[in-house]
Amino acid sequence: GFGCFMQEHVADPAAYGIYILDRRSRAPDESCNQLVQFLFGFCQQSRRQRIIQRHRTERLSDLLDWRFLGRSYKHARQLTLSRAFPDKFGMEPHAPPKTEGFRFPRPSSVPPSPSVSLHSSPHHSEGEEEEEDEEERYEEDRKS
């Protein structure tokens, strides 16, 4: 489904704020625990980290546009129908979707280690103020 699509097209989905639950190879309780860990990790992030993550997620908007997703959806639907009703729906089972080969790289702003990024200085930088201004504009636009 959507999780497989994201793993196929995005090098590091979690770096973009896309968290994929592994429900295929885990028991339901394990999947629930994984979800709890994702949510807890998100709650542990600072406001600045959440803003950065939102900006990264917004970079995926072209990939997540229905015009692009629709191709994969149509292929998956046709493949499912051809497997369920081979006499009525013929399709080459290994025909690649038109989106194959397209992959978003890992964001360059992601630190190389899994550690949580912290402020390197106790003083605010200009970039932080710009992000806060952008967050305020985003909230104003959302309310309009």
Side-chain angles (χ1 to χ4, degrees), residues 28-43:
D29 286 347
E30 292 172 334
S31 294
C32 287
N33 288 335
Q34 186 182 24
L35 176 60
V36 168
Q37 290 302 314
F38 287 155
L39 295 173
F40 183 72
F42 182 80
C43 292

Side-chain angles (χ1 to χ4, degrees), residues 114-130:
S115 65
V116 177
S117 64
L118 300 173
H119 295 286
S120 58
S121 168
H123 304 287
H124 288 312
S125 67
E126 289 179 18
E128 288 175 348
E129 290 172 7
E130 289 174 11

Side-chain angles (χ1 to χ4, degrees), residues 45-53 117-119 125 127-128 131:
Q45 292 179 354
S46 68
R47 180 176 183 271
R48 182 172 188 266
Q49 290 169 321
R50 291 191 309 269
I51 291 169
I52 291 169
Q53 187 175 38
S117 64
L118 300 173
H119 295 286
S125 67
E128 288 175 348
E131 288 175 5

Side-chain angles (χ1 to χ4, degrees), residues 46-62:
S46 68
R47 180 176 183 271
R48 182 172 188 266
Q49 290 169 321
R50 291 191 309 269
I51 291 169
I52 291 169
Q53 187 175 38
R54 188 191 76 229
H55 291 297
R56 288 181 188 153
T57 304
E58 288 173 353
R59 289 182 203 150
L60 298 177
S61 62
D62 288 338

Side-chain angles (χ1 to χ4, degrees), residues 37-107:
Q37 290 302 314
F38 287 155
L39 295 173
F40 183 72
F42 182 80
C43 292
Q44 295 285 329
Q45 292 179 354
S46 68
R47 180 176 183 271
R48 182 172 188 266
Q49 290 169 321
R50 291 191 309 269
I51 291 169
I52 291 169
Q53 187 175 38
R54 188 191 76 229
H55 291 297
R56 288 181 188 153
T57 304
E58 288 173 353
R59 289 182 203 150
L60 298 177
S61 62
D62 288 338
L63 174 67
L64 301 177
D65 185 82
W66 186 245
R67 288 174 292 186
F68 189 78
L69 281 177
R71 290 183 231 154
S72 294
Y73 172 79
K74 287 176 185 175
H75 175 76
R77 182 179 185 275
Q78 190 65 31
L79 185 60
T80 301
L81 288 171
S82 69
R83 287 179 181 170
F85 308 104
D87 53 329
K88 293 185 179 184
F89 297 93
M91 180 180 177
E92 177 63 32
H94 294 42
K98 294 177 176 123
T99 59
E100 191 170 280
F102 180 79
R103 188 165 172 86
F104 269 81
R106 187 168 195 244

